Amino acid sequence: MGKMSLYFFSAAFLSLAASFLLYLWYLLKRGEGVGRYATLVNRLGAAFLTMSLLFRSIVAGRGPFSNQYEFTVAFAWGIVIAYIYIERSFQFRSLGVFVLPVVLGLLGYASTVPSTVEPLVPALQNNLLLTVHVSVAVIAYGTFAVAFAAAIMYLCQSRRSVNWMPPQDKLEEVSYRSVVIGFPMMVLVLVLGALWANTAWGRYWGWDPKETATLVTALLYVGYLHAYNLRGWRGTRSALLLILGFVATVFTFFGNLFLGGLHSYSGF
Amino acid sequence: MNDSSVTQSIISAASARRLWRLLCSARFALVLILLITAACLAGALIIQAPDEVLRYPLDYNRWVEGLRPRFGTFTVVMDYLGLFRVFRTWWFNTLVGLLVISLFVCTINRFPALWRLVRYRRVKVGQSFFEAGRYRARFASLSISHQEAANAAVAALRQRHYQVTTINEDNRSHIYAERHRYSRFGTFLTHGGIIMAIAAAVWGNFFGFSDNSLVIPDDSRRAVGHGTELSVLNEGFTEEDYPDGRPRDYRSDLVIYEEGKEVKRQTVRVNEPVEYKGIRFHQAFFGNAAVIKVRDTATNRVLFEDGVALAYRKEFYGEARPVGFFTLFDGRLLVDVVSTAQDAIDDYIQPGQVVIVVSQSDNNTMLFSQKLSQREPFEVAGIEFTFLREKQFTGLTVVKNPAVKFIWLATTLMVLGIYTVLYFPSRRIWVLCNQSSQPPTLFLVGAAPRLSGFNTEFQRLAFALEQGLSPSTGSEELSLDDYKNGEERRL
């Protein structure tokens, strides 16, 4: 089972790398057929990644979210799933060229950290909250990555008109819709985290570096949701907020490794 | 009233209006949010002084001095700015306070207008209204009566779950349709939730307590304090490891007593605290304890015999060592029990030994210190000290927070509000079927929050309406993309 998880991980990595190349080809040649193949291979990669996580869960007997390897793969999965949803909703394939490098970067990183299945330390022994808290975080992070990619494209468009990119209003809408999915999830992450901290540590909030970093990320998206409609903040400034938001997301994600505090048990 | 006082009152009224407008401004709220974000980022990146250090200025100053090798000359500036205790600084609290005031004022300011908007439906609007909307469409040369056109529009709107109000006149029909009418109040739920959460946090801080210094050696009982009549007996702490050495389980078998009577017993784990009368006991930490016996040799009276939790770290003999303490003679003598250093080989205190340091409590004058090996008594001035054996202790966090249920209520309101606003954005559509205009025309205009996906919804509605108004029109190829904002379709 453990090996099956790793085989599916490799298959997903290869499929998603291939789909990135196909999206690139689609972008350069504007071939609709190539675009369809890119989508197909991307979904195949998503299926492989899902299988990898599923086998991992069976082996571990819990949600696959307890160490850096598992959480990184889950993060990549969240991005792929969010991207598939947005691509399907907006018929927007060129976004894949900007989203998939983030996914491949994460999977590349995951392949460098230990992938052994480890039992849970006492602080994490709350299967329900572990699974819900982290899977909600994964979806939030995934949608923020998609919003980030659309914001990058928006900024490219605002510098000079790029004909293979969708118009700015569509990119703005893609970003907004991604945040609309991700932001409530991020708030849930904070609430569920507070609930868990109250059970395990006796306080719902303690300014622990990781929880503060999560709050910073959420606040940046609060800022975006207030700014996107304000004159003077629409467009470029809002796109910059989305980029900052994703930088904060990545910072929060890797925070276990250098922030210390009560969340440092999962930083290996 | 003289001229200057009239001028003064005009100026102060104008200032109050300006202040009110500032507090209601979304831009001001945005700036506050971004400043709080920056402050939180600083708090996450820069090491923050622990609570126990912040209790005493001397401890804090010593702690800041310890940071000097890391931050060099910047240490003083960073300390002055409060960057080592961001969340307790006046400027951080001011920012949060301003945000709460801004949310409150904004809610009061917006509520009446929003209530009117929700309560009173404006069904009849002039024709010019239909030419100014962001989302608009017009179907000219109607081949059916205005009432038939209105029926088609009502059917299309109802199919999309709109609540529809119609007013028919001689030559025209006015239709007003809306969805998610009350979702605008979601913002108030969220803002109210934030205000409630902050108020509950302040309330909890004032009327509750959180104490992480309850350390109880195995088979010992300790009073909880904080005005309660509770005490806790630790029947045994257990630490289990996986074969690879990683921790598997920490648990303490606790018995709670109230006024000397047993009232509850439970095995407490990290994720399984015990609660009694709103006071919760959480498994927090553990360590070694030394059982010490003190006897008056003249009377053979045992002055002290209990476990001493070596729960603190203090510098003794040039190294940080685990330390515990107890008092004798009604607190007049303080006895520190120092154990072997755990991070390195300890040349001074070997495993199986402790050092006792006896001092006067009132003036902190050290009387003597003595190394004790297990079961080898040491006598001084008719008092015999014996280190009997080692044990473990459990460290508990004791919490009472009467406001915590309001925190959960507040967060529920926040989440509900956010989902309501973002997932059920309000939509309003006005339709005017005008038989008297030349040619007879159906006007359509819609309003919804920007980027909320209304564009597509409006296009689909217009497409369906076109089909409904002229079902026989099949020859013309229609595409949703044909409906750009404000585009006119001629049937």
Side-chain angles (χ1 to χ4, degrees), chain B residues 136-162:
Chain B
R136 60 186 191 274
R138 186 162 63 153
F139 304 96
S141 303
L142 291 175
S143 56
I144 51 178
S145 74
H146 74 278
Q147 278 184 340
E148 285 173 312
N151 289 342
V154 168
L157 287 163
R158 288 213 168 117
Q159 202 180 10
R160 284 160 180 75
H161 311 292
Y162 278 81

Side-chain angles (χ1 to χ4, degrees), chain A residues 125 172 196 198 228 231, chain B residues 27 242 248 271 280 450:
Chain A
Q125 287 168 7
E172 245 191 314
W196 195 354
N198 195 54
Y228 84 96
R231 206 173 299 128
Chain B
R27 266 191 186 76
Y242 292 110
R248 179 191 187 125
N271 277 292
R280 282 179 296 133
R450 198 171 150 259

Side-chain angles (χ1 to χ4, degrees), chain A residues 9 14-15 34 45 48 62 71 86 112 116 124 129 141 143 157-158 165 173 183 191 210 215-216 224 230 253 259 268:
Chain A
F9 171 81
L14 290 173
S15 308
V34 180
F48 287 148
R62 52 171 167 76
F71 195 26
I86 292 293
T112 65
T116 43
L124 293 176
L129 271 175
Y141 289 7
T143 55
Q157 273 289 42
S158 65
M165 280 190 192
E173 198 173 339
F183 175 70
V191 173
K210 175 94 171 179
L215 179 67
V216 167
Y224 166 77
L230 280 182
F253 172 76
L259 284 175
F268 34 79

Side-chain angles (χ1 to χ4, degrees), chain A residues 118-126 169 172-173 176-177 179-185 187-188 191 194-204 207 209 212-213 215-216 219-220 222-235 241 251 258-259 268, chain B residues 26-27 29-31 33-34 36-37 40-41 43-45 48 87 92 191 197 200-202 204 210 242 244 246-250 269-273 280 282-283 397 399 401 404 407-408 411-412 414-415 418-419 421-423 449-456:
Chain A
E118 286 149 352
L120 293 178
V121 294
L124 293 176
Q125 287 168 7
N126 190 329
D169 56 347
E172 245 191 314
E173 198 173 339
Y176 176 80
R177 287 280 286 279
V179 173
V180 160
I181 300 166
F183 175 70
M185 297 286 175
V187 174
L188 266 185
V191 173
L195 202 67
W196 195 354
N198 195 54
T199 304
W201 302 325
R203 89 291 183 285
Y204 52 84
W207 298 112
T212 309
L215 179 67
V216 167
L219 283 175
L220 281 168
V222 169
Y224 166 77
L225 287 172
H226 283 78
Y228 84 96
N229 222 4
L230 280 182
R231 206 173 299 128
W233 278 85
R234 284 181 192 177
L241 269 180
F251 169 75
F258 53 86
L259 284 175
F268 34 79
Chain B
R27 266 191 186 76
L30 180 62
V31 169
I33 290 165
L34 293 179
I36 291 171
T37 307
C40 289
L41 185 64
L45 285 174
Q48 298 294 293
F87 308 111
F92 182 77
H191 289 178
V202 173
S210 176
Y242 292 110
D244 65 356
R246 288 158 56 90
R248 179 191 187 125
D249 194 16
Y250 304 132
R269 292 185 165 83
V270 177
N271 277 292
E272 295 168 20
R280 282 179 296 133
H282 295 262
Q283 179 66 62
T397 299
V399 182
N401 190 342
V404 79
I407 292 285
W408 304 134
T411 50
T412 307
M414 274 160 60
V415 172
I418 289 167
Y419 274 93
V421 170
L422 296 181
Y423 282 79
R450 198 171 150 259
L451 302 180
S452 65
F454 186 60
N455 198 16
T456 314

Side-chain angles (χ1 to χ4, degrees), chain A:
Chain A
M1 285 281 191
K3 284 204 166 169
M4 287 298 282
S5 169
L6 291 177
Y7 292 149
F8 275 115
F9 171 81
S10 304
F13 202 164
L14 290 173
S15 308
L16 292 168
S19 80
F20 169 67
L21 294 175
L22 285 167
Y23 278 118
L24 203 61
W25 189 7
Y26 161 76
L27 208 68
L28 298 172
K29 299 283 178 193
R30 306 302 299 163
E32 209 39 53
V34 180
R36 274 200 292 274
Y37 278 119
T39 300
L40 189 73
V41 177
N42 182 50
R43 288 181 189 180
L44 196 66
F48 287 148
L49 211 51
T50 309
M51 292 304 288
S52 172
L53 288 170
L54 210 62
F55 276 110
R56 183 89 183 178
S57 302
I58 294 168
V59 173
R62 52 171 167 76
F65 308 122
S66 83
N67 60 20
Q68 199 69 8
Y69 169 82
E70 292 174 352
F71 195 26
T72 308
V73 177
F75 185 3
W77 178 85
I79 299 174
V80 175
I81 295 302
Y83 170 69
I84 287 173
Y85 172 75
I86 292 293
E87 188 197 282
R88 207 179 136 83
S89 302
F90 288 85
Q91 297 300 311
F92 183 14
R93 287 206 176 96
S94 48
L95 188 66
V97 175
F98 291 82
V99 172
L100 284 170
V102 182
V103 174
L104 294 173
L106 284 171
L107 293 180
Y109 169 68
S111 58
T112 65
V113 294
S115 62
T116 43
V117 177
E118 286 149 352
L120 293 178
V121 294
L124 293 176
Q125 287 168 7
N126 190 329
N127 240 340
L128 178 70
L129 271 175
L130 173 70
T131 307
V132 180
H133 176 60
V134 187
S135 36
V136 171
V138 159
I139 295 167
Y141 289 7
T143 55
F144 292 160
V146 174
F148 161 77
I152 296 272
M153 290 178 85
Y154 182 92
L155 291 181
C156 295
Q157 273 289 42
S158 65
R159 285 190 169 271
R160 61 192 181 93
S161 183
V162 185
N163 62 2
W164 50 262
M165 280 190 192
Q168 282 189 318
D169 56 347
K170 189 169 179 179
L171 289 165
E172 245 191 314
E173 198 173 339
V174 167
S175 296
Y176 176 80
R177 287 280 286 279
S178 304
V179 173
V180 160
I181 300 166
F183 175 70
M185 297 286 175
M186 198 64 186
V187 174
L188 266 185
V189 170
L190 282 168
V191 173
L192 290 168
L195 202 67
W196 195 354
N198 195 54
T199 304
W201 302 325
R203 89 291 183 285
Y204 52 84
W205 191 261
W207 298 112
D208 177 73
K210 175 94 171 179
E211 51 188 43
T212 309
T214 310
L215 179 67
V216 167
T217 307
L219 283 175
L220 281 168
Y221 287 99
V222 169
Y224 166 77
L225 287 172
H226 283 78
Y228 84 96
N229 222 4
L230 280 182
R231 206 173 299 128
W233 278 85
R234 284 181 192 177
T236 305
R237 282 192 187 178
S238 294
L240 287 171
L241 269 180
L242 287 175
I243 291 169
L244 265 182
F246 188 64
V247 170
T249 304
V250 174
F251 169 75
T252 306
F253 172 76
F254 285 108
N256 295 348
L257 301 175
F258 53 86
L259 284 175
L262 289 165
H263 282 83
S264 50
Y265 43 68
S266 49
F268 34 79

